[in-house]
Coordinates of all heavy atoms in Angstrom, one line a residue:
M235 N -29.9 -15.9 -52.5 CA -29.2 -17.2 -52.2 C -29.0 -17.2 -50.6 O -28.6 -16.3 -50.0 CB -27.8 -17.1 -52.8 CG -27.1 -18.5 -52.7 SD -25.6 -18.5 -53.7 CE -24.5 -17.4 -52.8
V236 N -29.4 -18.3 -50.1 CA -29.3 -18.5 -48.7 C -28.2 -19.5 -48.3 O -28.3 -20.6 -48.8 CB -30.6 -18.9 -48.1 CG1 -30.5 -19.1 -46.6 CG2 -31.7 -17.9 -48.4
L237 N -27.2 -19.0 -47.6 CA -26.2 -20.0 -47.1 C -26.5 -20.5 -45.7 O -26.0 -20.0 -44.8 CB -24.8 -19.3 -47.2 CG -24.3 -19.0 -48.6 CD1 -23.0 -18.2 -48.4 CD2 -24.0 -20.3 -49.3
A238 N -27.5 -21.3 -45.7 CA -27.9 -21.8 -44.4 C -26.9 -22.9 -43.9 O -26.2 -23.6 -44.7 CB -29.3 -22.5 -44.5
G239 N -26.7 -22.9 -42.7 CA -25.8 -23.9 -42.1 C -26.4 -25.3 -42.1 O -26.9 -25.7 -43.1
R240 N -26.4 -25.9 -41.0 CA -27.0 -27.2 -40.9 C -28.1 -27.1 -39.9 O -27.9 -27.2 -38.7 CB -26.0 -28.3 -40.5 CG -25.2 -28.8 -41.7 CD -24.4 -30.0 -41.4 NE -23.0 -29.7 -41.1 CZ -22.2 -30.6 -40.5 NH1 -22.6 -31.7 -40.2 NH2 -21.0 -30.2 -40.3
P241 N -29.3 -26.9 -40.4 CA -30.4 -26.6 -39.4 C -30.7 -27.8 -38.6 O -31.3 -27.6 -37.5 CB -31.6 -26.3 -40.4 CG -31.2 -26.9 -41.7 CD -29.7 -26.8 -41.8
H242 N -30.4 -29.0 -39.0 CA -30.8 -30.2 -38.2 C -29.6 -30.7 -37.3 O -29.8 -31.6 -36.6 CB -31.2 -31.3 -39.2 CG -32.4 -30.9 -40.0 ND1 -33.6 -30.5 -39.4 CD2 -32.5 -30.7 -41.3 CE1 -34.5 -30.2 -40.4 NE2 -33.8 -30.3 -41.6
A243 N -28.5 -30.0 -37.5 CA -27.4 -30.4 -36.6 C -27.7 -30.1 -35.2 O -28.0 -29.0 -34.9 CB -26.1 -29.8 -37.1
R244 N -27.4 -31.0 -34.3 CA -27.7 -30.8 -32.9 C -26.4 -30.3 -32.3 O -25.4 -31.0 -32.2 CB -28.1 -32.1 -32.2 CG -29.7 -32.2 -32.3 CD -30.0 -33.5 -31.6 NE -29.5 -34.6 -32.3 CZ -29.4 -35.9 -31.7 NH1 -29.9 -36.1 -30.6 NH2 -28.9 -36.9 -32.4
P245 N -26.4 -29.1 -31.7 CA -25.2 -28.6 -31.0 C -25.1 -29.3 -29.7 O -26.1 -29.6 -29.0 CB -25.6 -27.1 -30.8 CG -27.0 -27.0 -30.9 CD -27.5 -28.2 -31.7
G246 N -23.9 -29.6 -29.3 CA -23.7 -30.2 -28.1 C -22.2 -30.4 -27.8 O -21.4 -30.3 -28.8
P247 N -21.8 -30.5 -26.6 CA -20.3 -30.6 -26.3 C -19.7 -31.8 -26.9 O -18.5 -31.8 -27.1 CB -20.3 -30.7 -24.7 CG -21.7 -31.1 -24.4 CD -22.6 -30.6 -25.4
L248 N -20.4 -32.9 -27.1 CA -19.8 -34.1 -27.6 C -19.7 -34.2 -29.1 O -19.0 -35.0 -29.6 CB -20.6 -35.3 -27.1 CG -20.2 -35.9 -25.7 CD1 -21.1 -37.0 -25.3 CD2 -18.8 -36.3 -25.8
R249 N -20.4 -33.3 -29.8 CA -20.5 -33.4 -31.2 C -19.2 -33.4 -31.9 O -18.9 -34.2 -32.8 CB -21.4 -32.3 -31.8 CG -22.5 -32.9 -32.6 CD -23.3 -31.8 -33.4 NE -23.1 -32.0 -34.8 CZ -22.3 -31.3 -35.5 NH1 -21.6 -30.3 -35.0 NH2 -22.2 -31.5 -36.8
P250 N -18.3 -32.4 -31.6 CA -17.0 -32.4 -32.4 C -16.2 -33.7 -32.2 O -15.6 -34.2 -33.1 CB -16.3 -31.2 -31.7 CG -17.4 -30.4 -31.1 CD -18.4 -31.3 -30.7
V251 N -16.2 -34.2 -31.0 CA -15.5 -35.4 -30.7 C -16.0 -36.6 -31.5 O -15.3 -37.3 -32.2 CB -15.5 -35.7 -29.2 CG1 -14.7 -37.0 -29.0 CG2 -14.9 -34.6 -28.5
V252 N -17.3 -36.7 -31.5 CA -18.0 -37.8 -32.2 C -17.8 -37.6 -33.7 O -17.5 -38.6 -34.4 CB -19.5 -37.8 -31.9 CG1 -20.2 -38.8 -32.8 CG2 -19.7 -38.1 -30.4
H253 N -17.9 -36.4 -34.1 CA -17.7 -36.1 -35.5 C -16.3 -36.6 -36.0 O -16.1 -37.2 -37.0 CB -17.9 -34.6 -35.8 CG -17.6 -34.2 -37.2 ND1 -18.5 -34.6 -38.2 CD2 -16.6 -33.6 -37.8 CE1 -18.0 -34.1 -39.3 NE2 -16.9 -33.5 -39.1
A254 N -15.3 -36.2 -35.2 CA -13.9 -36.6 -35.6 C -13.7 -38.1 -35.6 O -13.1 -38.6 -36.5 CB -13.0 -35.9 -34.6
A255 N -14.3 -38.7 -34.6 CA -14.2 -40.2 -34.5 C -14.8 -40.8 -35.7 O -14.3 -41.7 -36.3 CB -14.8 -40.7 -33.2
V256 N -16.0 -40.4 -36.0 CA -16.8 -41.0 -37.1 C -16.0 -40.7 -38.4 O -15.9 -41.6 -39.3 CB -18.2 -40.4 -37.2 CG1 -18.8 -40.7 -38.5 CG2 -19.0 -40.9 -36.1
Q257 N -15.4 -39.5 -38.6 CA -14.7 -39.2 -39.8 C -13.5 -40.1 -39.9 O -13.2 -40.6 -41.0 CB -14.3 -37.8 -39.7 CG -14.8 -37.1 -41.0 CD -14.2 -35.7 -41.1 OE1 -13.3 -35.3 -40.4 NE2 -14.7 -34.9 -42.0
L258 N -12.8 -40.4 -38.8 CA -11.7 -41.2 -38.8 C -12.0 -42.6 -39.3 O -11.3 -43.2 -40.1 CB -11.1 -41.3 -37.4 CG -10.2 -40.2 -37.0 CD1 -9.6 -40.5 -35.6 CD2 -9.0 -40.1 -37.9
L259 N -13.1 -43.1 -38.8 CA -13.5 -44.5 -39.1 C -14.0 -44.6 -40.5 O -13.8 -45.6 -41.2 CB -14.6 -44.9 -38.1 CG -14.2 -45.1 -36.7 CD1 -15.4 -45.4 -35.8 CD2 -13.2 -46.2 -36.6
T260 N -14.7 -43.5 -41.0 CA -15.4 -43.7 -42.3 C -14.4 -43.3 -43.4 O -14.5 -43.9 -44.5 CB -16.6 -42.8 -42.3 OG1 -16.2 -41.4 -41.9 CG2 -17.7 -43.3 -41.4
T261 N -13.6 -42.3 -43.2 CA -12.7 -41.9 -44.3 C -11.4 -42.5 -44.2 O -10.6 -42.5 -45.2 CB -12.5 -40.3 -44.3 OG1 -11.9 -40.0 -43.0 CG2 -13.8 -39.6 -44.4
G262 N -11.1 -43.2 -43.1 CA -9.8 -43.8 -43.0 C -8.6 -42.9 -43.2 O -7.6 -43.2 -43.8
A263 N -8.8 -41.7 -42.7 CA -7.7 -40.7 -42.9 C -6.6 -40.9 -41.9 O -6.3 -40.0 -41.0 CB -8.3 -39.3 -42.7
L264 N -6.0 -42.0 -42.0 CA -4.9 -42.3 -41.0 C -3.7 -41.5 -41.2 O -2.9 -41.3 -40.3 CB -4.6 -43.8 -41.2 CG -5.6 -44.8 -40.6 CD1 -5.2 -46.2 -40.9 CD2 -5.9 -44.5 -39.1
D265 N -3.6 -41.0 -42.4 CA -2.4 -40.1 -42.7 C -2.6 -38.8 -42.0 O -1.6 -38.0 -42.0 CB -2.1 -40.0 -44.2 CG -3.4 -39.4 -44.9 OD1 -4.5 -39.6 -44.4 OD2 -3.2 -38.7 -45.9
R266 N -3.7 -38.5 -41.5 CA -4.0 -37.3 -40.9 C -3.8 -37.4 -39.3 O -3.9 -36.4 -38.6 CB -5.4 -36.7 -41.2 CG -5.5 -36.4 -42.6 CD -6.6 -35.4 -42.9 NE -6.6 -34.9 -44.2 CZ -6.9 -33.6 -44.5 NH1 -7.2 -32.8 -43.6 NH2 -6.8 -33.2 -45.8
I267 N -3.5 -38.6 -38.9 CA -3.3 -38.7 -37.5 C -2.0 -38.2 -37.1 O -1.0 -38.5 -37.7 CB -3.4 -40.2 -37.1 CG1 -4.7 -40.8 -37.5 CG2 -3.1 -40.4 -35.6 CD1 -5.9 -40.3 -36.7
K268 N -2.0 -37.3 -36.2 CA -0.7 -36.7 -35.8 C -0.6 -36.7 -34.2 O -1.6 -36.9 -33.5 CB -0.7 -35.2 -36.2 CG -0.5 -35.1 -37.7 CD -0.3 -33.6 -38.1 CE -0.1 -33.5 -39.5 NZ 0.1 -32.1 -39.9
R269 N 0.6 -36.5 -33.8 CA 0.9 -36.5 -32.4 C 1.0 -35.0 -32.0 O 1.8 -34.3 -32.6 CB 2.1 -37.3 -32.0 CG 2.4 -37.3 -30.6 CD 3.3 -38.4 -30.2 NE 2.7 -39.7 -30.3 CZ 3.3 -40.9 -30.0 NH1 4.5 -40.9 -29.6 NH2 2.7 -42.0 -30.0
C270 N 0.3 -34.7 -30.9 CA 0.4 -33.3 -30.5 C 1.8 -32.9 -30.0 O 2.4 -33.7 -29.4 CB -0.6 -33.1 -29.3 SG -0.5 -31.5 -28.6
G271 N 2.2 -31.7 -30.4 CA 3.5 -31.3 -30.0 C 3.6 -30.8 -28.6 O 4.7 -30.6 -28.0
G272 N 2.4 -30.7 -28.0 CA 2.4 -30.3 -26.6 C 2.3 -31.4 -25.6 O 3.1 -31.5 -24.7
C273 N 1.3 -32.2 -25.7 CA 1.0 -33.2 -24.7 C 1.1 -34.6 -25.2 O 0.9 -35.6 -24.5 CB -0.4 -33.0 -24.2 SG -1.7 -33.3 -25.4
R274 N 1.5 -34.8 -26.5 CA 1.8 -36.1 -27.0 C 0.5 -36.9 -27.3 O 0.5 -38.1 -27.4 CB 2.7 -37.0 -26.2 CG 4.0 -36.2 -25.8 CD 4.8 -35.9 -27.1 NE 5.9 -35.0 -26.7 CZ 6.6 -34.3 -27.6 NH1 6.3 -34.4 -28.9 NH2 7.6 -33.6 -27.3
F275 N -0.6 -36.2 -27.2 CA -1.9 -36.8 -27.6 C -1.9 -37.0 -29.1 O -1.3 -36.4 -29.8 CB -3.0 -35.9 -27.2 CG -3.7 -36.4 -25.9 CD1 -2.9 -36.7 -24.8 CD2 -5.1 -36.5 -25.8 CE1 -3.6 -37.1 -23.6 CE2 -5.7 -36.9 -24.7 CZ -4.9 -37.2 -23.5
L276 N -2.8 -38.0 -29.5 CA -3.0 -38.2 -30.9 C -4.2 -37.4 -31.3 O -5.2 -37.3 -30.6 CB -3.2 -39.6 -31.3 CG -2.0 -40.5 -31.1 CD1 -2.3 -42.0 -31.4 CD2 -0.8 -40.1 -31.9
F277 N -4.2 -36.8 -32.5 CA -5.4 -36.1 -33.0 C -5.4 -36.2 -34.5 O -4.5 -36.6 -35.1 CB -5.3 -34.6 -32.5 CG -4.2 -33.8 -33.2 CD1 -4.4 -33.2 -34.4 CD2 -3.0 -33.8 -32.6 CE1 -3.4 -32.5 -35.0 CE2 -2.0 -33.0 -33.2 CZ -2.2 -32.4 -34.4
S278 N -6.6 -35.9 -35.0 CA -6.8 -35.9 -36.4 C -6.7 -34.5 -37.0 O -7.4 -33.6 -36.6 CB -8.2 -36.5 -36.7 OG -8.5 -36.3 -38.1
D279 N -5.8 -34.4 -37.9 CA -5.5 -33.1 -38.5 C -6.5 -32.9 -39.6 O -6.4 -33.5 -40.7 CB -4.1 -33.0 -39.0 CG -3.8 -31.6 -39.6 OD1 -4.7 -30.8 -39.6 OD2 -2.7 -31.4 -39.9
E280 N -7.5 -32.1 -39.4 CA -8.6 -31.8 -40.4 C -8.4 -30.5 -41.1 O -9.3 -30.1 -41.8 CB -9.9 -31.9 -39.8 CG -10.2 -33.3 -39.3 CD -11.5 -33.4 -38.5 OE1 -12.5 -32.6 -38.9 OE2 -11.7 -34.1 -37.6
S281 N -7.3 -29.8 -40.8 CA -7.1 -28.6 -41.5 C -6.8 -28.8 -43.0 O -6.3 -29.9 -43.4 CB -5.9 -27.8 -40.8 OG -4.7 -28.6 -40.9
K282 N -7.0 -27.8 -43.8 CA -6.9 -28.0 -45.2 C -5.5 -28.3 -45.6 O -5.2 -29.1 -46.5 CB -7.4 -26.7 -45.9 CG -8.9 -26.7 -46.0 CD -9.4 -25.4 -46.7 CE -10.9 -25.4 -46.7 NZ -11.4 -24.1 -47.1
N283 N -4.5 -27.6 -45.1 CA -3.1 -27.8 -45.5 C -2.4 -28.7 -44.5 O -1.2 -28.8 -44.5 CB -2.4 -26.5 -45.7 CG -2.6 -25.6 -44.4 OD1 -3.1 -26.0 -43.4 ND2 -2.1 -24.4 -44.5
R284 N -3.1 -29.3 -43.6 CA -2.5 -30.3 -42.7 C -1.4 -29.7 -41.9 O -0.4 -30.3 -41.7 CB -2.0 -31.5 -43.4 CG -3.1 -32.2 -44.3 CD -2.7 -33.5 -44.8 NE -3.7 -34.0 -45.7 CZ -3.7 -35.2 -46.2 NH1 -2.7 -36.1 -45.8 NH2 -4.6 -35.7 -47.0
S285 N -1.6 -28.5 -41.5 CA -0.5 -27.8 -40.7 C -0.8 -27.8 -39.2 O -0.1 -27.2 -38.5 CB -0.4 -26.4 -41.2 OG -1.7 -25.7 -41.0
R286 N -1.8 -28.5 -38.8 CA -2.2 -28.5 -37.4 C -1.1 -29.3 -36.7 O -0.6 -30.3 -37.1 CB -3.6 -29.1 -37.2 CG -4.1 -28.8 -35.9 CD -5.6 -29.3 -35.8 NE -5.9 -29.7 -34.5 CZ -7.0 -30.4 -34.1 NH1 -7.8 -30.7 -35.1 NH2 -7.2 -30.7 -32.9
R287 N -0.8 -28.8 -35.5 CA 0.3 -29.5 -34.7 C -0.1 -29.8 -33.3 O 0.6 -30.4 -32.6 CB 1.5 -28.6 -34.7 CG 2.1 -28.4 -36.1 CD 3.2 -27.4 -36.1 NE 4.3 -27.8 -35.2 CZ 5.3 -27.1 -34.9 NH1 5.4 -25.9 -35.3 NH2 6.2 -27.6 -34.1
W288 N -1.3 -29.3 -32.9 CA -1.7 -29.6 -31.5 C -3.1 -30.1 -31.4 O -3.9 -29.8 -32.3 CB -1.6 -28.3 -30.7 CG -0.2 -27.7 -30.8 CD1 0.9 -28.1 -30.1 CD2 0.2 -26.5 -31.5 NE1 2.0 -27.3 -30.4 CE2 1.6 -26.3 -31.2 CE3 -0.5 -25.6 -32.3 CZ2 2.3 -25.3 -31.8 CZ3 0.3 -24.6 -32.9 CH2 1.6 -24.4 -32.6
C289 N -3.3 -30.9 -30.4 CA -4.7 -31.5 -30.2 C -5.6 -30.3 -30.0 O -6.8 -30.4 -30.4 CB -4.7 -32.5 -29.1 SG -4.2 -31.7 -27.5
S290 N -5.2 -29.3 -29.2 CA -6.1 -28.2 -28.9 C -5.3 -26.9 -29.0 O -4.3 -26.8 -28.3 CB -6.7 -28.4 -27.6 OG -7.2 -27.1 -27.2
M291 N -5.7 -26.1 -29.9 CA -5.0 -24.8 -30.1 C -5.1 -24.0 -28.8 O -4.2 -23.2 -28.5 CB -5.7 -24.0 -31.2 CG -4.8 -22.9 -31.8 SD -3.3 -23.5 -32.4 CE -2.2 -22.2 -32.0
D292 N -6.2 -24.1 -28.1 CA -6.3 -23.3 -26.9 C -5.4 -23.8 -25.8 O -4.9 -23.0 -25.0 CB -7.8 -23.4 -26.4 CG -8.7 -22.7 -27.3 OD1 -8.3 -21.8 -28.0 OD2 -9.9 -23.0 -27.4
D293 N -5.2 -25.0 -25.7 CA -4.3 -25.5 -24.6 C -2.9 -25.7 -25.0 O -2.0 -24.9 -24.7 CB -4.9 -26.9 -24.1 CG -6.2 -26.8 -23.5 OD1 -6.4 -25.7 -22.9 OD2 -7.0 -27.7 -23.5
C294 N -2.6 -26.7 -25.8 CA -1.2 -27.0 -26.2 C -0.7 -26.0 -27.1 O 0.5 -25.7 -27.1 CB -1.2 -28.4 -26.8 SG -1.7 -29.7 -25.6
G295 N -1.5 -25.5 -28.0 CA -1.1 -24.5 -29.0 C -0.5 -23.3 -28.3 O 0.6 -22.8 -28.6
T296 N -1.2 -22.7 -27.4 CA -0.8 -21.5 -26.8 C 0.4 -21.8 -25.9 O 1.3 -21.0 -25.8 CB -1.9 -20.8 -25.9 OG1 -3.0 -21.8 -25.9 CG2 -2.4 -19.6 -26.6
A297 N 0.4 -22.9 -25.2 CA 1.5 -23.3 -24.3 C 2.8 -23.4 -25.1 O 3.8 -22.9 -24.7 CB 1.1 -24.6 -23.6
E298 N 2.7 -24.1 -26.2 CA 3.9 -24.3 -27.0 C 4.4 -23.0 -27.6 O 5.6 -22.8 -27.7 CB 3.5 -25.3 -28.1 CG 4.7 -25.6 -29.1 CD 5.7 -26.5 -28.4 OE1 5.5 -27.0 -27.4 OE2 6.9 -26.5 -28.9
K299 N 3.5 -22.2 -28.1 CA 3.8 -20.9 -28.7 C 4.6 -20.0 -27.7 O 5.6 -19.5 -28.0 CB 2.6 -20.2 -29.2 CG 2.3 -20.6 -30.7 CD 1.2 -19.7 -31.2 CE 1.0 -20.1 -32.7 NZ -0.2 -19.4 -33.2
S300 N 4.0 -19.9 -26.5 CA 4.6 -19.1 -25.5 C 6.0 -19.6 -25.1 O 6.9 -18.9 -24.8 CB 3.7 -18.9 -24.3 OG 3.5 -20.2 -23.7
R301 N 6.1 -21.0 -25.0 CA 7.3 -21.6 -24.7 C 8.4 -21.2 -25.7 O 9.5 -20.9 -25.4 CB 7.1 -23.1 -24.6 CG 8.1 -23.7 -23.6 CD 7.9 -25.2 -23.6 NE 6.5 -25.6 -23.7 CZ 6.1 -26.8 -23.9 NH1 6.9 -27.8 -24.0 NH2 4.8 -27.1 -24.0
R302 N 8.0 -21.3 -27.0 CA 9.0 -21.1 -28.0 C 9.4 -19.6 -28.0 O 10.5 -19.2 -28.2 CB 8.3 -21.4 -29.4 CG 9.4 -21.4 -30.5 CD 8.8 -22.1 -31.7 NE 8.2 -23.4 -31.4 CZ 7.4 -24.0 -32.2 NH1 7.0 -23.5 -33.3 NH2 6.9 -25.2 -31.9
Y303 N 8.4 -18.8 -27.8 CA 8.7 -17.3 -27.8 C 9.7 -17.0 -26.7 O 10.6 -16.3 -26.9 CB 7.4 -16.6 -27.5 CG 7.5 -15.1 -27.4 CD1 7.8 -14.4 -28.5 CD2 7.4 -14.4 -26.2 CE1 8.0 -13.0 -28.4 CE2 7.5 -13.1 -26.1 CZ 7.8 -12.3 -27.2 OH 8.0 -11.0 -27.1
V304 N 9.5 -17.6 -25.5 CA 10.5 -17.4 -24.4 C 11.9 -17.9 -24.8 O 12.9 -17.2 -24.6 CB 10.0 -18.1 -23.2 CG1 11.1 -18.1 -22.1 CG2 8.7 -17.4 -22.6
A305 N 11.9 -19.1 -25.5 CA 13.2 -19.7 -25.8 C 13.9 -18.8 -26.9 O 15.1 -18.5 -26.7 CB 12.9 -21.0 -26.4
V306 N 13.1 -18.3 -27.8 CA 13.7 -17.4 -28.8 C 14.3 -16.1 -28.2 O 15.4 -15.7 -28.5 CB 12.7 -17.0 -29.9 CG1 13.2 -15.9 -30.8 CG2 12.4 -18.3 -30.8
R307 N 13.5 -15.6 -27.3 CA 13.9 -14.4 -26.7 C 15.2 -14.6 -25.8 O 16.1 -13.8 -25.8 CB 12.8 -13.8 -25.8 CG 12.6 -12.3 -26.0 CD 11.4 -11.8 -25.3 NE 11.1 -12.5 -24.1 CZ 10.3 -12.0 -23.2 NH1 9.7 -10.8 -23.4 NH2 10.0 -12.6 -22.0
R308 N 15.2 -15.7 -25.2 CA 16.3 -16.0 -24.3 C 17.6 -16.2 -25.2 O 18.7 -15.7 -24.9 CB 16.1 -17.3 -23.5 CG 17.1 -17.5 -22.5 CD 16.7 -18.8 -21.7 NE 15.4 -18.6 -21.0 CZ 14.6 -19.6 -20.8 NH1 14.9 -20.8 -21.2 NH2 13.4 -19.4 -20.2
A309 N 17.4 -16.8 -26.3 CA 18.6 -17.1 -27.2 C 19.1 -15.7 -27.7 O 20.3 -15.6 -27.9 CB 18.1 -17.9 -28.4
R310 N 18.2 -14.8 -28.0 CA 18.7 -13.5 -28.5 C 19.4 -12.7 -27.4 O 20.5 -12.1 -27.7 CB 17.4 -12.7 -28.9 CG 17.1 -12.8 -30.3 CD 16.1 -11.8 -30.7 NE 15.2 -12.4 -31.8 CZ 14.0 -12.1 -32.0 NH1 13.3 -11.4 -31.1 NH2 13.3 -12.6 -33.0
T311 N 18.9 -12.8 -26.2 CA 19.5 -11.9 -25.2 C 20.8 -12.5 -24.6 O 21.7 -11.7 -24.2 CB 18.5 -11.7 -24.0 OG1 18.1 -13.0 -23.6 CG2 17.3 -10.9 -24.4
T312 N 21.0 -13.8 -24.8 CA 22.2 -14.4 -24.2 C 23.4 -14.3 -25.2 O 24.5 -14.6 -24.8 CB 22.0 -15.8 -23.8 OG1 21.4 -16.5 -25.0 CG2 21.1 -16.0 -22.6
R313 N 23.1 -13.8 -26.4 CA 24.2 -13.8 -27.3 C 25.1 -12.5 -27.1 O 24.6 -11.5 -26.7 CB 23.6 -13.8 -28.7 CG 24.7 -14.4 -29.6 CD 24.3 -14.4 -31.1 NE 22.9 -14.8 -31.4 CZ 22.3 -14.6 -32.6 NH1 23.0 -14.1 -33.5 NH2 21.1 -14.9 -32.8
Ligands
ZN38 ZN1 -2.0 -31.5 -26.9

């Protein structure tokens, strides 16, 4: 059994964006449109359990996580 990917898919920097846009238009997944918790951008949550909260995990995700971590730590120490 061969689990081949998509041999004809063209890799490129624009592909994910185009893919997301096309999916939005074709599937009408408007209930998956969310606002990023970091930068207030809108994004399409394509995760299986719709738990995504940031437009980009690398940017806003890490920023938000570290911010929360600091806040939690501060709350602990000031008590
Ligand atoms: Zn963001």
